[in-house]
Amino acid sequence: EAQVTQNPRYLITVTGKKLTVTCSQNMNHEYMSWYRQDPGLGLRQIYYSMNVEVTDKGDVPEGYKVSRKEKRNFPLILESPSPNQTSLYFCASSVGTGGGYEQYFGPGTRLTVT
Amino acid sequence: KQEVTQIPAALSVPEGENLVLNCSFTDSAIYNLQWFRQDPGKGLTSLLLIQSSQREQTSGRLNASLDKSSGRSTLYIAASQPGDSATYLCAVRPWEGAQKLVFGQGTRLTINP
């Protein structure tokens, strides 16, 4: 089944404790992104990647890191989480021109930082 | 700067009704528009993707139309069912290769049995 997977789905952590949210897609998509969703603010892009070793900042990159060492994986790293990073996080992927850039989303990771 | 608006923010209708959800965007120069469904606390499920050269797309009871010149898209749901209750989001990809979708705030739809 074609899908984007994220782990963990739920995470409660404390301020300053480094964490990684994994994202993997099995559709051989070139493009991958991370978004966060907050009430009243909608979906905001954190980082994106156009291919292996090619990443760039989205609208709200502060406090986050990403890497793209393999085409299928795009982990999101919070080096020192803070309470304002409590949010619902989504990983997304899309194929390029041939696939019309249809965007597929993962199931989400609900992060709580205390 | 592209902005996407969805009105109303919430809609409640009886089961069986046909309904229309609206999405408007400020810049008509888009590459495509995508409709998503989101259940509470869950991920986004792609419903329909309309390329800028297309006027509409259909999937089952869903039909999405696109009028680029007026900056509008509609999602038509026929014979609504309680299982259709969810938040519906539209998103615009501004140009080919753009790496960010611009989302509307969504319409929270409730279908009453």
Side-chain angles (χ1 to χ4, degrees):
Chain A
E1 178 189 357
Q3 59 184 349
V4 180
T5 57
Q6 297 177 226
N7 283 291
R9 295 289 314 282
Y10 302 91
L11 180 59
I12 300 174
T13 190
V14 297
T15 299
K17 185 175 181 181
K18 181 180 178 179
L19 66 92
T20 299
V21 183
T22 64
C23 171
S24 183
Q25 50 91 7
N26 62 1
M27 296 169 280
N28 201 36
H29 286 173
E30 297 97 330
Y31 306 112
M32 299 185 75
S33 297
W34 277 102
Y35 290 81
R36 61 178 288 176
Q37 185 178 38
D38 302 287
L41 297 176
L43 281 142
R44 296 178 291 169
Q45 191 184 55
I46 303 170
Y47 268 96
Y48 64 89
S49 169
M50 298 178 72
N51 214 323
V52 175
E53 302 292 4
V54 181
T55 63
D56 207 346
K57 298 176 181 178
D59 295 324
V60 288
E62 294 77 20
Y64 305 94
K65 285 177 55 177
V66 294
S67 68
R68 187 98 180 268
K69 292 182 169 34
E70 304 168 284
K71 196 172 185 179
R72 65 184 293 129
N73 297 323
F74 190 44
L76 179 69
I77 302 159
L78 284 72
E79 295 268 3
S80 183
S82 62
N84 64 12
Q85 292 178 299
T86 292
S87 186
L88 182 57
Y89 290 86
F90 292 105
C91 181
S93 73
S94 64
V95 69
T97 305
Y101 292 92
E102 183 171 7
Q103 191 98 43
Y104 295 84
F105 282 80
T109 294
R110 183 166 294 282
L111 172 65
T112 302
V113 184
T114 61
Chain B
K1 176 185 173 186
Q2 178 73 269
E3 293 182 358
V4 179
T5 303
Q6 293 183 248
I7 296 173
L11 181 64
S12 181
V13 301
E15 180 178 3
E17 282 203 2
N18 302 324
L19 59 98
V20 174
L21 305 181
N22 297 299
C23 171
S24 61
F25 44 95
T26 54
D27 187 343
S28 62
I30 65 170
Y31 181 72
N32 65 28
L33 184 145
Q34 200 166 350
W35 282 93
F36 295 90
R37 168 188 172 133
Q38 184 177 25
D39 294 291
K42 300 294 177 65
L44 281 72
T45 301
S46 179
L47 297 174
L48 290 163
L49 173 71
I50 310 179
Q51 302 297 340
S52 61
S53 59
Q54 299 173 322
R55 296 285 300 199
E56 65 179 291
Q57 284 285 336
T58 299
S59 176
R61 294 182 294 108
L62 305 179
N63 175 276
S65 67
L66 176 64
D67 184 343
K68 263 184 49 174
S69 60
S70 67
R72 293 183 179 182
S73 177
T74 61
L75 179 66
Y76 175 82
I77 302 176
S80 59
Q81 304 170 357
D84 295 330
S85 298
T87 296
Y88 290 80
L89 295 150
C90 71
V92 165
R93 190 177 294 273
W95 60 87
E96 183 178 5
Q99 289 305 303
K100 183 181 72 174
L101 297 183
V102 182
F103 281 88
Q105 291 288 332
T107 294
R108 189 173 68 254
L109 176 65
T110 302
I111 307 298
N112 302 303

